[in-house]
Amino acid sequence: MLDLLRGSRRRGMAGGHFRSNVWDPVLILAQILCMQSFFYTSLGLWSSVIGSDLFGGVDRSLDQVFNNANLDILDIIGRTAVIAFALNSLTCAVGMWYIVQRTKQCLDFATTMYFIHLVSCTVYMGRVPQTVSWWVVNILCLALTTVFAEFLCMRTEMRAIPLNSAPRADL
């Protein structure tokens, strides 16, 4: 998958500019697929580690990820799920920094990632999530993912380009 991403990036370089104005749907779809896979993998790991290891009584199931009733802040299981979602948003920001690498696209990819999660939760539960806590947690995690990913990408994009100022010897 990463070879596909790298190959598409090379094709997208026109005239020495990184993805100057080239529409590359293969690259975009591959990045969306990678980010969604990264989202669910890291959320599953965080839910497993936080829910099972720290608070031993939480069963591992898909309900931890897809059921809106598990994001109830008033009980201990809901708090562990909220912590897992918050840590996942930071982890996904790092993944976005590595996979997307563009500050301008962080909001687009984060919104797409959480929209696909909304659709997945709707399909899993058979209805749109109806709890206020689910919406608040996911909107805050969307904002956290976007801001942190933009911060990381901007630091990389704004890095100084070293120029060799030594005198040339071949004159």
Side-chain angles (χ1 to χ4, degrees):
M1 182 62 75
L2 290 176
D3 291 335
L4 176 66
L5 292 173
R6 288 184 186 113
S8 294
R9 285 192 181 128
R10 275 191 222 107
R11 285 193 307 270
M13 295 174 68
H17 298 297
F18 179 73
R19 279 188 274 178
S20 59
N21 286 320
V22 177
W23 168 252
D24 193 357
V26 174
L27 173 64
I28 294 169
L29 290 175
Q31 287 174 325
I32 290 171
L33 182 65
C34 281
M35 283 307 306
Q36 203 66 38
S37 299
F38 191 81
F39 176 81
Y40 286 123
T41 302
S42 62
L43 182 58
L45 289 173
W46 281 119
S47 296
S48 175
V49 169
I50 300 290
S52 302
D53 295 342
L54 294 180
F55 302 104
V58 179
D59 294 330
R60 294 180 187 166
S61 70
L62 287 177
D63 282 346
Q64 287 180 309
V65 175
F66 295 113
N67 194 347
N68 65 340
N70 285 338
L71 288 177
D72 185 17
I73 300 171
L74 300 177
D75 66 349
I76 192 69
I77 295 171
R79 287 187 200 129
T80 59
V82 169
I83 291 170
F85 268 84
L87 291 172
N88 184 52
S89 65
L90 297 175
T91 306
C92 285
V94 173
M96 198 173 300
W97 174 47
Y98 182 75
I99 293 170
V100 177
Q101 298 179 351
R102 301 282 291 176
T103 304
K104 289 182 177 182
Q105 294 177 343
C106 288
L107 177 62
D108 298 336
F109 278 93
T111 305
T112 302
M113 188 171 59
Y114 280 94
F115 178 75
I116 292 172
H117 179 63
L118 169 66
V119 171
S120 300
C121 289
T122 302
V123 169
Y124 181 79
M125 293 185 304
R127 60 182 164 74
V128 176
Q130 297 173 345
T131 60
V132 174
S133 61
W134 187 92
W135 287 98
V136 169
V137 167
N138 279 284
I139 289 171
L140 289 176
C141 287
L142 168 64
L144 186 62
T145 302
T146 302
V147 169
F148 192 55
E150 284 180 352
F151 171 75
L152 292 173
C153 290
M154 191 176 302
R155 284 193 58 175
T156 303
E157 288 176 359
M158 298 303 289
R159 190 176 298 153
I161 299 171
L163 298 174
N164 188 2
S165 61
R168 292 180 55 179
D170 62 343
L171 294 175

